């Protein structure tokens, strides 16, 4: 349900537009591709409003448990408070998919998300489903409407900005031109090392919400205010990349790419960078929706 890897062509004269949308209800789990999705103050409705935590409330992500990338969460609707369906994509499934209702009256659980110390517990059935696959006791928690989490000022946040359980800001964008340039660099490096040509990387390595075609490579670095189909957003930061990007989404095997190549071409402030994070400009109009095909105007 992820887009195919892009061509290695490095530039495009076409006006920028949305070519793919992705919703990831549970932090670090696989999500789904959609043709259109509503937007609220926390980004795409329901995106990254759930998370897996350990028994003391610290978040667990695919950085340390890559099997999470082999589990999928499908939203059961495009409204705030919709439930999810959990499925196992690894081929080692020992049970049926599980539907989980949003725990609007669930037990409050202390969690370690910056600026949001409490979430609601999804319940023992969901906890056990996940624990069997992660091999350790875990809890599934949900960010309810009453749980405010700011976009931190050091990540470009302003007063009133609201975040989901995303790392830094609610909407993550990658572009086909930048991915094509990155794949060119990866191929160039392989040739210099005398290695076989690698398969091109896909956008799924970076888990974006929005994929944009058109424009020059890394033009998004300089975005400030940007409109997607008439919905206003503001860029908060270029996205620093972690080891999660080195895991193949089909095999769950790790490698050196793309971090090795980004470290050569896109390294500053002690990190590697690819993609940008956006936050909606407030107030978000009622009925705001982004769609595949929408123009992206900076």
């Amino acid at each position: 349900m992820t887009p195919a890897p892009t061509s290695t062509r490095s530039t495009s004269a076409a006006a920028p537009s949305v070519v793919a949308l992705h919703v990831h209800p549970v932090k670090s789990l696989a999500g789904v591709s959609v043709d259109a999705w509503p937007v609220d103050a926390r980004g795409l409705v329901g995106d990254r409003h759930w998370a897996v935590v350990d028994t003391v409330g610290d978040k667990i992500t695919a950085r340390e448990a890559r099997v999470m990338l082999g589990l999928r969460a499908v939203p059961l609707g495009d409204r705030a408070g919709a439930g999810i369906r959990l499925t196992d994509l690894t081929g080692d499934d020992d049970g049926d998919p599980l539907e989980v209702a949003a725990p609007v009256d669930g037990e409050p659980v202390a969690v370690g998300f910056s600026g949001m110390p409490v979430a609601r517990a999804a319940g023992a059935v969901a906890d056990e489903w996940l624990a069997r696959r992660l091999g350790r006791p875990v809890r599934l928690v949900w960010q309810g409407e009453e749980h405010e989490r700011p976009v931190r000022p050091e990540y470009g946040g302003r007063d009133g900005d609201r975040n989901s359980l995303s790392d830094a800001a609610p909407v993550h964008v990658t572009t086909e031109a930048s991915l094509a340039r990155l794949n060119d660099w990866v191929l160039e490096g392989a040739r210099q090392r005398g290695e076989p040509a690698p398969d091109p990387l896909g956008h799924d390595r970076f888990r974006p919400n929005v994929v944009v075609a058109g424009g020059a490579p890394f033009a998004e670095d300089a975005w400030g205010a940007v409109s997607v189909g008439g919905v206003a957003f503001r860029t908060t930061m270029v996205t620093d990349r972690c080891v999660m990007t080195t895991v193949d989404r089909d095999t769950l095997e790790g490698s050196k790419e793309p971090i090795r190549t980004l470290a050569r071409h896109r390294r500053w402030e002690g990190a590697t960078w690819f993609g940008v994070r956006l936050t909606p400009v407030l107030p978000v109009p009622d009925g705001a929706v982004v769609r595949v095909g929408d123009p992206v105007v900076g």
Side-chain angles (χ1 to χ4, degrees), residues 15-19 173 210-213 223 226-230 278 293-298:
S17 64
V18 176
V19 292
V173 178
V210 181
V211 178
V212 174
W223 286 357
V226 62
S227 171
V228 182
L278 309 180
D294 277 346
V296 177
V297 180

Side-chain angles (χ1 to χ4, degrees), residues 145-165:
E145 290 299 304
E146 75 276 22
H147 296 140
E148 296 280 352
R149 184 171 180 241
V151 177
R152 292 159 59 181
E154 62 266 37
Y155 295 148
R158 298 176 182 172
D159 287 346
D161 287 345
R162 299 178 64 194
N163 200 1
S164 62
L165 302 182

